[in-house]
Amino acid sequence: MSKVLKELVERLAVAPTQANRDAFLRGLVMSMIWTPIRTQKEGPPQPMTLGPDGQPALLVYADGSAALREPGVKSAGGGPGRESLERALASGAKLTVTTGHETTAPQAVVTAGEIPAVLALGRAEDPVLGVITWHPSSDDDNGFWEFEAGPVENHSVAGVVVPDAPWESIRPDELSRIRQTVQWVRGNDFAVRSHIAAEMWDWWYNEYCDPPDREEVRTQEEFRDKLSLEVIRFEPGEDGFLDYADHGLVCGYGIRVYVRPDGRFTRGPEIG
């Protein structure tokens, strides 16, 4: 659950300064938010409330435990704050973020007019990588930036960048390295799959696979052609690593190889 967002709402309620509001808005689009889950018979799946001016607002909770404490609720659904902001924008409603169902619980309201600017806080445009969007986690420390790293061999590939610190933007020097790596991979997927196959084939065919597998994949080239790139991931201080779906070659664990921006392999292949 997002403890940071809860603290930001509480801080804003105590001290409604512009600095605290800016921190709350950025925290909202970078966090997971929560809604009580009900059946249709028990009530609407998306709670609504009224803002201070009597206008409708989508109601979301800053953390899952608060949503669970609402009467008659047995579970809570978490999702990116961005998605709730987009739903509110589409419906012309405001968004109210609260820390509890009690009337005295701290809450913060985002107007429909503010939402486009708030959404922009969790999104960047890059000439090589395209749209880069923050993908939050239920644990504030485990979010990441996501972009389209493909197409590779005519299919989509997820690009993931894990920042040095939670919610931190990608550093310019890191961005340059990421661009170069992604551009190299987009044009050299066949070479990567050939490298993996050359390194793994003898071990796989002679030691790992069972006889039925040998009948389906009989050559190093067939091994290579079973692989498909799923993710290019960048973590602090590491070369980019490529996660390939193995389509049953190693029981679905996937195969990983690390590569530098110039195409030099530095680790792997290894079972992911």
Side-chain angles (χ1 to χ4, degrees):
M1 64 186 64
S2 180
K3 296 179 180 178
V4 174
L5 182 59
K6 181 175 183 289
E7 292 170 359
L8 290 172
V9 174
E10 292 171 339
R11 186 192 309 168
L12 180 61
V14 172
T17 64
Q18 188 60 50
N20 284 344
R21 183 158 182 80
D22 290 345
F24 156 71
L25 292 174
R26 186 168 188 272
L28 172 60
V29 78
M30 303 290 268
S31 297
M32 292 276 283
I33 54 84
W34 304 82
T35 55
I37 295 178
R38 306 174 185 271
T39 66
Q40 284 299 117
K41 292 181 179 179
E42 292 173 334
Q46 176 65 63
M48 298 290 292
T49 186
L50 294 178
D53 57 1
Q55 295 299 310
L58 270 66
L59 179 65
V60 297
Y61 288 78
D63 67 283
S65 62
L68 284 171
R69 287 197 296 271
E70 184 164 316
V73 168
K74 295 181 180 178
S75 61
R82 180 181 66 254
E83 292 180 358
S84 286
L85 286 162
E86 289 170 345
R87 283 199 299 273
L89 183 64
S91 63
K94 300 179 180 183
L95 185 72
T96 296
V97 184
T98 184
T99 62
H101 70 276
E102 305 89 350
T103 57
T104 56
Q107 61 177 230
V109 176
V110 185
T111 68
E114 291 179 297
I115 291 176
V118 178
L119 287 169
L121 297 173
R123 182 183 291 131
E125 290 269 1
D126 185 83
V128 173
L129 307 178
V131 177
I132 307 172
T133 306
W134 180 255
H135 192 288
S137 166
S138 56
D139 181 340
D140 292 316
D141 292 337
N142 292 329
F144 55 87
W145 293 99
E146 188 172 32
F147 61 95
E148 173 55 62
V152 171
E153 298 294 329
N154 297 317
H155 69 267
S156 178
V157 174
V160 171
V161 182
V162 180
D164 290 318
W167 301 1
E168 187 176 86
S169 299
I170 305 170
R171 299 198 318 267
D173 60 319
E174 284 289 289
L175 193 54
S176 176
R177 179 176 70 93
I178 291 164
R179 288 183 188 130
Q180 292 178 55
T181 303
V182 169
Q183 287 179 306
W184 186 88
V185 172
R186 285 172 177 169
N188 292 276
D189 176 68
F190 183 85
V192 180
R193 291 186 289 110
S194 296
H195 169 75
I196 293 172
E199 293 290 315
M200 296 185 69
W201 172 251
D202 287 342
W203 166 79
W204 182 85
Y205 191 82
N206 296 312
E207 299 180 36
Y208 182 85
C209 72
D210 295 324
D213 297 320
R214 295 193 189 103
E215 294 174 8
E216 182 180 347
V217 179
R218 294 166 294 178
T219 67
Q220 183 173 309
E221 290 72 25
E222 289 178 343
F223 184 101
R224 174 199 66 206
D225 293 342
K226 289 274 283 186
L227 304 173
S228 61
L229 182 61
E230 287 193 320
V231 180
I232 304 177
R233 184 179 177 96
F234 299 88
E235 296 187 354
E238 296 276 359
D239 293 322
F241 69 75
L242 317 179
D243 257 342
Y244 277 82
D246 64 277
H247 299 289
L249 291 172
V250 289
C251 299
Y253 289 110
I255 297 170
R256 178 181 298 175
V257 63
Y258 288 73
V259 65
R260 289 185 177 169
D262 61 3
R264 285 183 293 164
F265 299 110
T266 55
R267 243 177 77 189
E270 57 193 31
I271 296 175

